[in-house]
Amino acid sequence: MSDHYGHVRAEQIKSQGEDAEKEAADSEEQVASLPASPDPSSITATTGTDASSVLCKQRSRGHREPACCVKAAPDWPLRGPAALAPAVINLNNPGFERAFHVKGSGSLLHGTSETNGNYLINRGPQEQSQKRRPVTVDSSKAKTSLEALKMSIKQLKWKEFPLGRRAPCDIYWHGVSFHDNENIVSGQVNKFPGMVEMLRKINMSRAVRTMQELFPEEYDFYPRSWILPEEHQLFATQIRLIKEKDAAVNPTFIVKPDGGSQGDGIYLIRDPADVKLVVGSQAKQAVVQEYIPKPLLIDKLKFDIRLYVLIKSLEPLEIYIAKEGLTRFCTEPYQEPSQKNLSHVFMHLTNYSLNVHSGNFVHSDSQNTGSKRTLSSVLYRLAAKGVDIKRVWSDIIALVIKTVIAVVPELKVYYQADIPPGKPGPTCFQILGFDILLMKNLKPVLLEVNSNPSMRIEHEQEVSLQAPGLSRLPVLVLNLYVFQVAPGVFEFVPSPVDEEVKVGVIRDTLRLMDPFHKKPVMSYQDKSRGSEPREEIQTDAESGSRSPDENQPSLCLKQVYPKYTKQFNHLRLAERIASLFIRFLGVKGNMRLGPTAFRTFIRTCKLSSSNFTMASVDILYIDITRRWAAAAADSREAGMGLQAFVEAFFYLAGRRFRSLSLREQVVSLLALCEAQLGPQSEDRRSLSCSRAPPPRAVKTQTPCHTNSQLASPAPQRRAASQDNRPPQTLKPRMLRASVEN
Ligand code: ADP
């Protein structure tokens, strides 16, 4: 391995200390001496659904997360001299042919190691799958997903390293972000760099907004949103105009702090003047969003859906959806918003973390009752009432694919910055939590996507917070109240509903990421041909979810992309713009384009002319970059980010192809740029987000849409592009799409 790796290893050893080092050495030896199928009891197990697994934690004031709710396993099998072996086997020399004895078997095995540290023992094909070494998982950073992860590893008979390991593991499970452990140079990590940032409410709204501009009809599943504080004026003006036009209209809005989660800091308003803006540098970044006033109700209660989605790979894009999810119910009967009930959090917010503190919360002991139920139980119930649940499910799949397509461009920028091509690094995958609301008319609406969905499989018990009138407290006050009134010992008991869903999702994600089950490389053409006959999105439970191992039950995760490439590939326009952007970024690790790089882009793609000179190009760069810098005041890096580049690209497209719709303009300009750049742009793109297995030839060619009825959603920018005034006339992009009520 490279010097870099040597350095990283030294760092790891240092940080883990003597004990951990000894343990790692023990473990490595254990890898060589493990029987074909390790005894599941040899894997640390503090989990279980029996009463003995009731966990306790001391919750400190003001802290939501337990300091530690899992005891260190006393029976870790690799501790102690009995497990020690004299030599540490280095599994990391690529291609190094080795031989060593398998303890107790007397046989001599030969093998080769892969560059990612996997040691493959040469056996016959059948024997290979049966007697391979177990897949190794580093769970030392798993945090609150630890319990579910342990169960999954145990079910798969894989090998867990709860304290980390000196030698590389096949899979690293992080509780929060890619950067939970900076020293990973091989294997696979369950988080993508940049996902946390990308899915914050503002970034997410911006990414969807770009897609709404290009494909307004396709992206009407996200409520109309404004970014605060920068668009407060715009928000106030638009609402005033709406009310002036029709006095009977009195919409409600929901304000969500940018970095918030679990309902923290959320409140409802009817008047833009009620936004709690703090001026100056303390200005709170938030999203204000159209409130969906008529959600579908069950038992008179509002509920939302938590759906687990796996992004298995960015390049090629591979998306899986869990067939089972959760539904979270409010605990106060729903009424349409009125000035009187705006502060009733148990009526309007479905967050488990809030409703669990309501006196009406019912912990579910079966999967179809209580305040948290399985998605399937709700769908069955709807089906029994005559609802076309196939349609609902297919709409949900479409929503998920479109949302992922919206965030992938920026994710690719993060990816190449953190793991530039040529630098040793892991590959990534990630489970996301989609929060979806069904409207009364059954149309799914995206509320948000969580980069770090809770994978807890226990719930708190005995939180006696049933003070009268509590449900009417604003969320913020309620949260303070919770922590100040009940700072004592909290009990955790297993939650069968969470366990059923979450362990399945983690286990099957691991199965899909199993390094010993690499699928044969399949070209994009093969894949799309395979799915050609299916014009409609299938809802068949088995489709796309065949087990990677014939002996295992079918997966609870269903592949939806590239399976439905044909239906959705035309949406991947922003990704092609991102490929151009990445190509001109230049310096490894960079996420912003400097003025020289922007000029190079214009020159290389031959976009300047006598009436769009390089001086105008510079003005365009300065104008857009300044505006975006003001919008993202906390950004440390100077230059033009992807979202600003997309805006510049739209502007350039508008100038060049004036008579077309925005989408047609963008498609035409992309074709022009890609033609100038030649095949390199494709190569660079596939390099940017894939490692082993080798990049597959996936093209994101987008058919040119010529539907003249699709009017540009950016009339202001287009108008600006039709004259030769300097680009200072550009206005912030306007949002066109809205959600049906
Ligand atoms: P958080 O990350 O704090 O949970 P969410 O965006 O998920 O923020 O919003 C919290 C809850 O508020 C949701 O679970 C849902 O019940 C409700 N909610 C959010 N947005 C809307 C909306 N646009 N219309 C109706 N209800 C909403």
Side-chain angles (χ1 to χ4, degrees), residues 682-727:
E682 283 291 329
D683 297 347
R684 172 76 200 244
R685 183 168 57 214
S686 56
L687 264 181
S688 69
C689 299
S690 64
R691 276 152 203 284
R696 290 163 227 184
V698 170
K699 289 194 177 170
T700 51
Q701 292 292 336
T702 306
C704 179
H705 290 265
T706 50
N707 184 352
S708 57
Q709 292 186 325
L710 298 171
S712 163
Q716 293 173 340
R717 187 178 37 257
R718 261 230 318 248
S721 74
Q722 278 164 11
D723 63 34
N724 291 330
R725 283 175 295 166

Side-chain angles (χ1 to χ4, degrees), residues 271-570:
D271 184 343
D274 291 338
V275 171
K276 295 169 198 157
L277 275 182
V278 189
V279 277
S281 59
Q282 298 294 303
K284 281 196 188 139
Q285 297 252 297
V287 165
V288 57
Q289 195 170 75
E290 190 178 351
Y291 186 77
I292 307 299
K294 293 184 198 297
L296 182 72
L297 306 180
I298 290 185
D299 300 334
K300 300 196 174 116
L301 299 170
K302 176 176 172 178
F303 68 96
D304 77 348
I305 298 170
R306 160 57 57 87
L307 199 69
Y308 297 94
V309 171
L310 168 69
I311 302 192
K312 186 168 180 272
S313 142
L314 279 188
E315 187 72 59
L317 183 58
E318 286 187 60
I319 311 169
Y320 287 74
I321 297 185
K323 287 184 260 178
E324 185 59 288
L326 293 170
T327 49
R328 289 94 45 106
F329 282 72
C330 277
T331 44
E332 186 181 329
Y334 186 78
Q335 286 164 14
E336 280 196 37
S338 67
Q339 203 57 46
K340 273 192 188 160
N341 68 28
L342 284 190
S343 61
H344 291 212
V345 293
F346 300 147
M347 175 190 286
H348 291 295
L349 307 189
T350 50
N351 299 78
Y352 162 80
S353 51
L354 297 173
N355 283 282
V356 75
H357 299 299
S358 144
N360 297 333
F361 192 91
V362 180
H363 285 293
S364 315
D365 41 18
S366 77
Q367 291 155 4
N368 50 14
T369 58
S371 301
K372 199 192 266 187
R373 308 180 195 173
T374 57
L375 173 58
S376 57
S377 74
V378 165
L379 290 179
Y380 282 131
R381 185 143 168 204
L382 294 177
K385 284 185 179 170
V387 168
D388 180 359
I389 54 165
K390 281 197 167 187
R391 175 85 243 161
V392 172
W393 186 237
S394 134
D395 287 348
I396 289 177
I397 291 178
L399 175 153
V400 167
I401 296 175
K402 290 172 186 176
T403 306
V404 174
I405 285 176
V407 298
V408 159
E410 192 117 20
L411 280 179
K412 286 188 166 181
V413 176
Y414 277 101
Y415 197 102
Q416 62 79 39
D418 271 289
I419 319 173
K423 190 186 148 194
T427 49
C428 303
F429 61 96
Q430 186 151 358
I431 298 170
L432 304 174
F434 275 65
D435 291 351
I436 295 166
L437 190 72
L438 288 182
M439 299 205 305
K440 200 173 174 185
N441 64 5
L442 298 168
K443 183 178 164 58
V445 170
L446 177 68
L447 299 178
E448 70 158 346
V449 187
N450 287 275
S451 60
N452 187 20
S454 165
M455 285 294 169
R456 274 187 185 285
I457 50 173
E458 327 90 32
H459 62 72
E460 296 175 54
Q461 219 178 32
E462 292 294 316
V463 184
S464 47
L465 278 173
Q466 294 162 26
L470 192 65
S471 69
R472 281 162 190 77
L473 288 176
V475 183
L476 209 63
V477 181
L478 179 73
N479 288 339
L480 284 174
Y481 183 81
V482 168
F483 295 120
Q484 286 175 9
V485 174
V489 175
F490 281 72
E491 241 189 352
F492 281 85
V493 293
S495 162
V497 178
D498 286 288
E499 188 180 312
E500 150 101 8
V501 176
K502 295 174 185 175
V503 173
V505 169
I506 294 187
R507 183 198 57 228
D508 288 354
T509 294
L510 290 173
R511 284 168 70 193
L512 282 169
M513 303 318 297
D514 182 342
F516 297 111
H517 272 292
K518 282 179 190 155
K519 278 187 298 183
V521 174
M522 207 174 164
S523 74
Y524 161 67
Q525 279 80 3
D526 293 340
K527 283 178 183 170
S528 55
R529 220 175 290 135
S531 62
E532 229 160 79
R534 300 180 197 118
E535 285 302 325
E536 290 194 351
I537 295 176
Q538 291 189 328
T539 48
D540 168 16
E542 289 307 311
S543 62
S545 52
R546 214 159 33 85
S547 165
D549 181 340
E550 299 306 329
N551 301 322
Q552 300 261 17
S554 72
L555 290 165
C556 73
L557 292 162
K558 168 191 163 76
Q559 193 203 70
V560 293
Y561 204 91
K563 187 177 170 75
Y564 299 122
T565 298
K566 227 178 139 194
Q567 289 93 326
F568 298 98
N569 204 42
H570 68 282

Side-chain angles (χ1 to χ4, degrees), residues 145-164:
S145 50
L146 188 62
E147 289 293 301
L149 178 64
K150 275 180 184 293
M151 279 191 174
S152 307
I153 295 172
K154 199 170 173 178
Q155 287 179 12
L156 294 172
K157 299 190 169 74
W158 287 8
K159 184 150 185 61
E160 183 195 357
F161 286 82
L163 299 179

